[in-house]
Amino acid sequence: MRTQIFRRRPAGTPGRRRAAAGLLLGAAMTAVTLLAVSLTASSRTGDTGNTGDTRNTGDTRNTGDTRDMEPTARPLTDRETALLDRAEQLLLRACMREHGFVYQPAEPHRATAPREFPYVIDDPRWAARHGYGTALRAELDEARRNDPNQRYFRSLPAERRAAALRAANGENPRGLTARTPDGLVLTRSADGCRSTAERELYGDLAAWFQARSTVESLDWMRRERVTADPRYTAAVADWARCMRAQGHPHESPAALRASLPAPERALPADEELPAAEEKELATAEARCALDTGLAETARTLDAQHADELQRQHRSAVDTARRLQLAALPRAARITAQTADGR
């Protein structure tokens, strides 16, 4: 996950997945940067064709039976991904410096990030210790508020803040366009420091934007397919019976989440879910997930649908991986030059 702030949700954009659309440079769970990404997205229900020339840009169309066609380019290792992230940060710093602004490359935050349980909590020990991760989120939120780039941005006069955003993101959120397999049209400036950094690192900026947008959209598509799968809904029904037997009448993990206080909304102390109650509820969720087989079903279906989507959109997956692999030598040179003080 990459960090962002000041993201403006475009009209008609499903909030459930636009975090993937407005991504900023930075490593996973880094402190928040001062930059904002201007993206527009519009829903095109049922229209997943890609208009225009998509040669070498990760065409999102599914042409023919691709069940036996796996991506040919290998995935990156965690270390390689971190190298690319670091190089992007250094390029971003250099570009912002040329425009007269200070930018400190984001570093991974030392706080323990809340684990991601996309379907159901399935780790009773983690649940007994952290509940739904409320305290962990609060720690990360505090780190973001104290981020040096955020503090620097707030210290600038209004005119300089606007200039910093233009330097980072370009004058106009147009120039790059990508259509995702679920019908969203994303646009972003081809100028600004973010685009300059990505162009220098990946070479073909348009191909990178299209391929990456497609690949990132597969995450939500996978989750939607899993939760709509009859095998998942059958396992959820068993989970709900287990939860009711323990005094927690929730029809699904999603319904349980919806009943909890929203993490982004501050509540009076007397309305907050007590920590002990939060941990007890999360532990019950996890134990029922294991006892009823929901956890195993979710893992199996997640892997199955991930594989199917990667096969169906292998062109975009291959394009993204090849651009990343080709960028590794450049990223190594960029980070080495910085280490040498050049």
Side-chain angles (χ1 to χ4, degrees):
M1 181 185 301
R2 294 183 180 187
T3 52
Q4 63 183 357
I5 62 169
F6 310 130
R7 175 173 55 83
R8 292 170 292 183
R9 181 180 298 170
T13 303
R16 60 176 176 78
R17 63 168 304 247
R18 281 311 91 209
L23 299 173
L24 269 189
L25 302 173
M29 301 310 296
T30 57
V32 176
T33 68
L34 65 86
L35 307 175
V37 175
S38 297
L39 278 168
T40 62
S42 57
S43 179
R44 296 289 186 271
T45 304
D47 178 12
T48 59
N50 193 332
T51 59
D53 188 352
T54 57
R55 288 171 295 179
N56 195 35
T57 61
D59 190 344
T60 62
R61 292 174 295 184
N62 181 11
T63 56
D65 188 351
T66 60
R67 287 176 295 179
D68 296 325
M69 300 171 64
E70 295 183 353
T72 57
R74 70 168 178 84
L76 272 68
T77 65
D78 290 342
R79 186 172 182 177
E80 289 170 334
T81 300
L83 175 63
L84 292 177
D85 286 339
R86 178 63 177 170
E88 286 187 37
Q89 289 284 292
L90 295 173
L91 290 170
L92 181 56
R93 180 181 66 180
C95 181
M96 291 297 288
R97 184 179 294 164
E98 290 179 0
H99 285 79
F101 296 102
V102 174
Y103 178 76
Q104 296 187 31
E107 300 291 346
H109 185 242
R110 294 179 181 178
T112 301
R115 279 179 58 186
E116 185 175 344
F117 298 98
Y119 308 107
V120 63
I121 293 180
D122 58 7
D123 186 341
R125 292 182 61 184
W126 190 94
R129 183 175 180 182
H130 300 293
Y132 289 98
T134 300
L136 297 178
R137 283 192 297 271
E139 185 179 350
L140 288 168
D141 288 344
E142 180 65 20
R144 294 186 181 107
R145 284 191 292 270
N146 293 324
D147 173 68
N149 289 316
Q150 178 79 330
R151 292 199 307 269
Y152 169 73
F153 182 77
R154 289 195 300 261
S155 73
L156 296 173
E159 187 174 320
R160 288 282 289 166
R161 285 200 298 270
L165 291 178
R166 288 194 300 271
N169 303 308
E171 295 283 345
N172 192 309
R174 296 291 188 273
L176 295 173
T177 301
R179 185 187 294 271
T180 64
D182 52 353
L184 290 175
V185 176
L186 308 178
T187 68
R188 199 189 86 191
S189 175
D191 303 315
C193 285
R194 184 190 182 195
S195 289
T196 297
E198 292 184 359
R199 185 181 291 108
E200 183 170 345
L201 191 58
Y202 298 107
D204 190 337
L205 181 60
W208 170 244
F209 183 62
Q210 174 62 72
R212 193 195 65 185
S213 297
T214 298
V215 170
E216 288 174 347
S217 74
L218 301 185
D219 181 61
W220 277 106
M221 292 175 65
R222 182 187 79 248
R223 296 183 185 188
E224 288 174 341
R225 289 189 181 188
V226 169
T227 56
D229 193 299
R231 291 166 290 179
Y232 179 81
T233 55
V236 165
D238 292 338
W239 175 90
R241 284 190 287 272
C242 177
M243 290 292 284
R244 281 195 298 273
Q246 298 191 44
H248 305 297
H250 298 283
E251 294 303 313
S252 68
L256 191 161
R257 298 293 196 288
S259 72
L260 299 174
E264 67 274 10
R265 185 166 62 91
L267 293 176
D270 60 349
E271 294 184 27
E272 291 181 352
L273 185 67
E277 185 177 337
E278 175 186 338
K279 293 174 182 178
E280 188 274 333
L281 182 59
T283 301
E285 173 180 332
R287 293 196 181 283
C288 281
L290 295 177
D291 292 345
T292 63
L294 174 58
E296 181 61 29
T297 297
R299 283 193 293 270
T300 299
L301 294 176
D302 187 80
Q304 175 186 318
H305 288 293
D307 181 67
E308 290 174 355
L309 283 165
Q310 288 212 342
R311 290 169 184 264
Q312 290 167 3
H313 303 283
R314 65 185 294 266
S315 174
V317 173
D318 271 334
T319 298
R321 289 178 180 176
R322 285 175 179 147
L323 288 170
Q324 289 175 309
L325 291 169
L328 288 173
R330 292 189 287 273
R333 288 195 297 270
I334 291 165
T335 56
Q337 289 170 358
T338 303
D340 292 340
R342 285 177 283 176

